[in-house]
Amino acid sequence: MDKVQFTIMTNSRHITGSDIPWYPDGMSDLLERLRTRGWRLTAQRRVVAEVLDGDHVHLTADEVHARAARLLPEISRATVYNTLGELVTLGEVLEVSTDGRARRYDPNAHHAHQHLVCSHCGTIRDVHPVGDPLAALPAGERFGFTVSDVEVTYRGTCPDCSATAA
Amino acid sequence: MDKVQFTIMTNSRHITGSDIPWYPDGMSDLLERLRTRGWRLTAQRRVVAEVLDGDHVHLTADEVHARAARLLPEISRATVYNTLGELVTLGEVLEVSTDGRARRYDPNAHHAHQHLVCSHCGTIRDVHPVGDPLAALPAGERFGFTVSDVEVTYRGTCPDCSATAA
DNA sequence: ATAGTGAATTGGACTTTGTCCATGTCGTGG
DNA sequence: CCACGACATGGACAAAGTCCAATTCACTAT
Ligand SMILES: [Mn+2]
Ligand SMILES: [Mn+2]
Ligand SMILES: [Zn+2]
Ligand SMILES: [Zn+2]
C-alpha cells in the first residue's frame, strides 16, 4: 500500500499529509478516476470522498457534512450537496431513499445489492437476493417502459430492536 | 349502486349531496369500515377519502390537499396530514417514497403490488411481478432480522418520455 | 515561479415537505 | 337538544434541499 502524500493550502489554513495520514487504496482509486474525468481535486472533495470511504455506510447529506467538517471545519453544506450530486451523476455513489426522509448516500456503487432496513431504528444492511429481480417483471407488466433498474427494500425488525421490544 | 345522500354543515357553509353527487361503492365501503372502527365522520375526512378514491392514484399530501380544497375550501393542511396518517396506520392507504421527495399516498392497499416509475417525468404505474419477492432473500442474508415486507421499485423511461427524447 | 481564467466554494436566502400545539369547533351518544 | 371529548385549524417551527452572487482557488500556460 503506497501512502499518498499531499499538501493542501487555503488562505487561512495549511493541511498536510500528516493531518490526514494516507488515503486507502479504494479512495485513491476513486480520486484518480475522478481526476481523469476532469475533476479539480479540492480539499473539500477529498474530504467528502474520505468520509464516504468504506463500503458499508449509508449516510445522509448532513451526516456527511458533519463528518467532513471534523476534517475541514470550513466546508459548507452547499459544497457537500454539490459534491454528492456529482458523485451520483458519475455513478460513483448511489442515492437511496428508504424512509421518505433524508436521502442516503451509498458508496458501494460497484457491487449490485439491495437493502434491508429496520423499521424501528432505521439501521440499513446491504443484502444480496438470489436471481435477477428485473426478471420477475413480465413484459406484459412493463407498459412500454424501458426498465433499467430495480430497487428492492426489505423491511423488518433488527435483532437489537427485537430484543428491546421483548 | 346505492347513492348515499348526506348533508354537511359547518359554521360558514352548507354542503349537500348535490354538491358531491354520490359516493362510489368503494368509498362508501371505506367510510363504513372506518365508522365501525370508531371514526367520527367529518366533512374533512369524507373529502380526503373521496380524493383518494379510485385505485390508480399516487398523490402527494399537497396534491391531496389541493383536490380536497376544491370540494371543501377551508380544509387545512394539518388535517390532510392527520387523516392520511390515520389511514396509513389503519392499513387503508399505503405510503410510498419513490423519489426521495414528497411521500405519496396509495389507496390500493388491499392488492399487493409494486411500482414502475419513470425517471424523467415521475409517472408511477402499479405492476405485479411474478413470484414472492421475499423468497429471493435467503436466510443467510437476513442477519437475524424478522423480515415482514418488501418494496420493489422498477425504474426506467415511460413511452411518452422515450418519444420526446427521440 | 507566476499569472490568468474559469471552475469550485461559500453563506445565506429561499422553497418544499412535514410536525406540533393551543385554541376553537363539531359529531355523537345520551 | 346538551355535554364532552375527539377533531380541525392556522401558524409557528423544523428538516431537507436548492439557488445565487460574490469570492477563492486549482490548474494550465507562460
Ligand atoms: Mn448499500
Ligand atoms: Mn400503487
Ligand atoms: Zn432496529
Ligand atoms: Zn416519463
Side-chain angles (χ1 to χ4, degrees), chain A residues 55 57-58 94 96 106-108 113-115 124-127:
Chain A
D55 283 341
V57 295
H58 301 91
L94 299 176
V96 298
D106 185 342
N108 188 9
H113 68 282
Q114 305 301 336
H115 292 114
I124 302 177
R125 298 228 34 167
D126 287 353
V127 293

